Amino acid sequence: MPITITAFERSPDRGQGLARDMRVRWALEEVGQPYDVRLLSFKAMKQEPHLALHPFGQIPTYEEGDLALFESGAIVFHIAERHAGLLPTEPNGRARAITWMFAALNTVEPPIFDRSLVNILERDQPWYEQRLRALDGIIRKRLGDLSSHMGDADWLDGAFSAGDLLMVTVLRRLHGSGMLEEHPNLAAYVARGEARPAYKRAFDAQLAVFTAASAG
Ligand code: GTB
């Protein structure tokens, strides 16, 4: 069954691969599944037929035959369940890798994503500095804990898994903040993820969308 995902017609990140279609593209590249991309304007995302696929009018979505999914974490999990390469087969290792998927999305991503939003939307507000300091404190605590957990390991728990894929996409958002560099093992971890051939193919594909939109 052909797979179709959705992505921004023109990503506000100008091709940095920060939108959440990147993690879906990367997962599909890791497991060697070809996919089509339907590009959407902000207007089209908020209208039918897209709303029938995504109740919140966002990207990414995933279609395969009569299956339609939204939520990037659920999509990556689905890909990892259906195809070898992103989850261990040994049950306990698999459960731990799934735990890391949740940790990336529920524990590490929220303050990092909020920080991006505050920087975009609240810069002119009187509470901006205070809010940024509070979020940076939470993020630094998360990074410190994660760094201690990882030590000198290459990946979170044994071999590369969907947990690493999600964690790296989450941590990448801190590029430019200086916070990753406070933990050389985490900076190296992110670089290791970004060096994977599947990551590079996914990154280049989403960048090509932005480049084409800018030329047109
Ligand atoms: N929990 C959902 C998931 O994981 O799939 C969240 C999906 C989501 O936030 N989608 C965003 C979206 O569709 C795009 S990824 N936004 C449009 C809207 O809500 O109207 C978030 C995002 C957007 C922009 C940047 N950027 O420019 O750097 C980065 C990330």
Side-chain angles (χ1 to χ4, degrees):
M1 283 290 178
I3 294 169
T4 302
I5 68 168
T6 51
F8 284 131
E9 184 179 75
R10 186 184 279 261
S11 182
D13 73 356
R14 308 180 61 80
Q16 290 178 75
L18 297 176
R20 288 179 172 110
D21 59 295
M22 177 62 202
R23 52 186 63 162
V24 175
R25 291 173 183 269
W26 185 8
L28 287 166
E29 292 287 354
E30 287 284 349
V31 301
Q33 283 296 304
Y35 61 96
D36 295 324
V37 184
R38 189 165 59 252
L39 300 174
L40 296 172
S41 65
F42 276 94
K43 189 174 168 205
M45 284 163 54
K46 305 298 175 196
Q47 297 174 347
E48 297 296 348
H50 187 67
L51 281 180
L53 293 174
H54 198 309
F56 306 112
Q58 296 184 310
I59 59 98
T61 55
Y62 174 101
E63 292 155 78
E64 185 181 14
D66 57 8
L67 175 68
L69 298 173
F70 62 98
E71 281 298 329
S72 59
I75 296 169
V76 170
F77 183 50
H78 170 77
I79 294 166
E81 287 267 272
R82 290 284 168 98
H83 305 281
L86 284 174
L87 285 175
T89 50
E90 186 273 313
N92 286 355
R94 194 177 184 90
R96 287 196 305 274
I98 294 167
T99 300
W100 278 113
M101 296 178 70
F102 278 85
L105 300 184
N106 284 354
T107 303
V108 182
E109 182 165 56
I112 293 178
F113 193 74
D114 283 357
R115 184 180 196 274
S116 311
L117 283 186
V118 164
N119 271 324
I120 295 167
L121 302 175
E122 298 178 17
R123 242 175 219 283
D124 298 334
Q125 299 300 332
W127 60 78
Y128 169 70
E129 295 290 346
Q130 195 181 358
R131 175 111 173 92
L132 195 63
R133 258 198 312 278
L135 284 169
D136 283 358
I138 298 169
I139 294 168
R140 284 201 163 88
K141 171 82 173 102
R142 294 284 184 261
L143 295 183
D145 291 346
L146 189 61
S147 171
S148 301
H149 168 82
M150 286 203 73
D152 58 6
D154 279 356
W155 306 113
L156 289 166
D157 188 338
F160 176 83
S161 78
D164 294 295
L165 186 150
L166 291 177
M167 191 67 83
V168 169
T169 60
V170 165
L171 296 178
R172 281 193 69 237
R173 190 176 290 278
L174 292 172
H175 278 322
S177 72
M179 281 193 270
L180 270 182
E181 291 67 24
E182 292 170 14
H183 301 280
N185 63 339
L186 293 188
Y189 171 59
V190 172
R192 204 174 292 122
E194 291 174 335
R196 291 178 73 83
Y199 174 93
K200 289 184 181 175
R201 288 194 296 274
F203 185 89
D204 290 349
Q206 63 78 39
L207 179 59
V209 172
F210 180 76
T211 307
S214 304

